[in-house]
Coordinates of all heavy atoms in Angstrom, one line a residue:
C1 N -4.6 -0.5 -12.9 CA -3.2 0.1 -12.8 C -2.3 -0.6 -13.8 O -1.1 -0.1 -14.0 CB -2.6 0.0 -11.4 SG -3.6 1.0 -10.2
G2 N -2.7 -1.7 -14.4 CA -1.8 -2.4 -15.4 C -0.6 -3.0 -14.7 O 0.4 -3.1 -15.3
R3 N -0.8 -3.5 -13.5 CA 0.2 -4.2 -12.7 C -0.3 -5.6 -12.3 O -1.4 -5.9 -12.5 CB 0.6 -3.3 -11.5 CG 1.2 -2.0 -11.8 CD 2.5 -2.1 -12.5 NE 3.3 -0.9 -12.6 CZ 4.1 -0.4 -11.6 NH1 4.3 -1.0 -10.5 NH2 4.8 0.7 -11.8
T4 N 0.6 -6.3 -11.5 CA 0.2 -7.6 -11.0 C -0.7 -7.4 -9.7 O -0.7 -6.4 -9.1 CB 1.4 -8.4 -10.6 OG1 2.1 -7.8 -9.5 CG2 2.3 -8.6 -11.8
E5 N -1.4 -8.5 -9.4 CA -2.2 -8.5 -8.2 C -1.3 -8.4 -6.9 O -1.7 -7.7 -6.0 CB -3.0 -9.8 -8.1 CG -4.1 -9.8 -7.1 CD -5.0 -11.0 -7.3 OE1 -5.2 -11.5 -8.4 OE2 -5.5 -11.4 -6.2
S6 N -0.1 -9.0 -7.0 CA 0.8 -8.9 -5.8 C 1.3 -7.4 -5.6 O 1.4 -7.0 -4.5 CB 2.0 -9.8 -6.1 OG 1.7 -11.1 -6.1
W7 N 1.5 -6.8 -6.7 CA 1.9 -5.3 -6.6 C 0.8 -4.5 -6.0 O 1.0 -3.7 -5.1 CB 2.2 -4.8 -8.0 CG 2.4 -3.3 -8.0 CD1 3.6 -2.7 -7.9 CD2 1.5 -2.3 -8.2 NE1 3.5 -1.3 -7.9 CE2 2.1 -1.0 -8.1 CE3 0.1 -2.2 -8.4 CZ2 1.5 0.2 -8.3 CZ3 -0.6 -1.0 -8.5 CH2 0.2 0.2 -8.5
A8 N -0.5 -4.8 -6.3 CA -1.6 -4.1 -5.8 C -1.7 -4.3 -4.3 O -1.9 -3.4 -3.5 CB -2.9 -4.5 -6.5
R9 N -1.5 -5.6 -3.8 CA -1.5 -5.9 -2.4 C -0.4 -5.2 -1.6 O -0.7 -4.6 -0.6 CB -1.4 -7.4 -2.2 CG -2.6 -8.2 -2.6 CD -2.3 -9.7 -2.4 NE -3.3 -10.5 -3.0 CZ -4.5 -10.8 -2.5 NH1 -4.8 -10.3 -1.3 NH2 -5.4 -11.5 -3.1
V10 N 0.8 -5.3 -2.1 CA 1.9 -4.6 -1.5 C 1.7 -3.1 -1.4 O 2.0 -2.5 -0.4 CB 3.2 -5.0 -2.1 CG1 4.4 -4.2 -1.6 CG2 3.5 -6.5 -1.9
T11 N 1.3 -2.5 -2.5 CA 1.1 -1.1 -2.6 C 0.0 -0.6 -1.6 O 0.2 0.4 -0.9 CB 0.8 -0.6 -4.0 OG1 1.8 -1.1 -4.9 CG2 0.7 0.9 -4.1
Y12 N -1.1 -1.4 -1.5 CA -2.1 -1.1 -0.5 C -1.6 -1.1 0.9 O -1.9 -0.2 1.7 CB -3.3 -2.0 -0.7 CG -4.3 -1.9 0.4 CD1 -5.2 -0.8 0.5 CD2 -4.4 -2.8 1.4 CE1 -6.1 -0.6 1.5 CE2 -5.3 -2.7 2.4 CZ -6.2 -1.6 2.5 OH -7.0 -1.5 3.5
H13 N -0.9 -2.2 1.2 CA -0.3 -2.3 2.6 C 0.6 -1.2 2.9 O 0.5 -0.6 4.0 CB 0.4 -3.7 2.7 CG 1.1 -3.8 4.0 ND1 0.4 -4.1 5.2 CD2 2.4 -3.7 4.3 CE1 1.3 -4.2 6.2 NE2 2.5 -3.9 5.7
R14 N 1.5 -0.8 2.0 CA 2.4 0.3 2.2 C 1.6 1.6 2.4 O 2.0 2.5 3.2 CB 3.4 0.4 1.1 CG 4.4 -0.7 1.1 CD 5.4 -0.6 -0.1 NE 6.3 -1.7 0.0 CZ 7.1 -2.1 -1.0 NH1 7.0 -1.4 -2.2 NH2 7.9 -3.1 -0.9
A15 N 0.5 1.8 1.6 CA -0.3 3.0 1.7 C -0.9 3.1 3.0 O -0.9 4.2 3.7 CB -1.3 3.0 0.6
K16 N -1.4 2.0 3.5 CA -2.1 2.0 4.8 C -1.1 2.3 5.9 O -1.4 3.1 6.8 CB -2.7 0.6 5.0 CG -3.7 0.5 6.2 CD -4.5 -0.7 6.2 CE -3.6 -1.9 6.6 NZ -4.4 -3.1 6.9
C17 N 0.1 1.7 5.8 CA 1.2 2.0 6.8 C 1.6 3.5 6.8 O 1.7 4.1 7.9 CB 2.4 1.1 6.6 SG 2.1 -0.6 6.9
K18 N 1.7 4.1 5.6 CA 2.0 5.5 5.5 C 1.0 6.4 6.1 O 1.2 7.3 6.8 CB 2.3 5.9 4.0 CG 3.6 5.3 3.4 CD 3.7 5.7 1.9 CE 4.9 5.1 1.3 NZ 6.1 6.0 1.6
L19 N -0.3 6.0 5.8 CA -1.4 6.8 6.4 C -1.4 6.7 7.9 O -1.6 7.8 8.6 CB -2.8 6.3 5.9 CG -3.2 6.8 4.5 CD1 -4.4 6.1 4.0 CD2 -3.4 8.3 4.5
M20 N -1.3 5.5 8.4 CA -1.3 5.4 9.9 C -0.1 6.1 10.5 O -0.3 6.8 11.6 CB -1.2 3.9 10.2 CG -2.5 3.2 9.9 SD -2.5 1.4 10.1 CE -2.1 1.2 11.8
E21 N 1.0 6.1 9.9 CA 2.2 6.8 10.4 C 2.0 8.3 10.4 O 2.3 9.0 11.4 CB 3.4 6.4 9.5 CG 4.7 7.1 9.9 CD 5.8 6.8 8.9 OE1 6.1 5.6 8.7 OE2 6.3 7.7 8.2
R22 N 1.4 8.8 9.3 CA 1.2 10.3 9.2 C 0.1 10.8 10.1 O 0.1 11.9 10.5 CB 1.0 10.6 7.7 CG 2.2 10.4 6.9 CD 2.0 10.7 5.5 NE 3.2 10.4 4.7 CZ 3.3 10.5 3.4 NH1 2.3 11.0 2.7 NH2 4.4 10.2 2.7
M23 N -0.9 9.9 10.3 CA -2.0 10.3 11.2 C -1.6 10.3 12.7 O -2.2 11.1 13.4 CB -3.2 9.4 11.0 CG -3.9 9.6 9.7 SD -4.7 11.2 9.5 CE -5.9 11.1 10.8
G24 N -0.7 9.5 13.0 CA -0.2 9.4 14.4 C -1.4 9.1 15.4 O -2.1 8.1 15.1

């Protein structure tokens, strides 16, 4: 992605939270 490792960690965590929220 051409970003930092911290960015990848935070983005993954947010993606997982969004999926869990939307799946209910």
Side-chain angles (χ1 to χ4, degrees):
C1 296
R3 298 291 192 89
T4 66
E5 195 172 326
S6 296
W7 175 88
R9 289 178 190 278
V10 169
T11 304
Y12 170 74
H13 175 74
R14 289 178 181 165
K16 192 167 73 168
C17 290
K18 287 176 180 279
L19 280 172
M20 290 172 60
E21 178 184 300
R22 293 177 186 179
M23 287 296 295

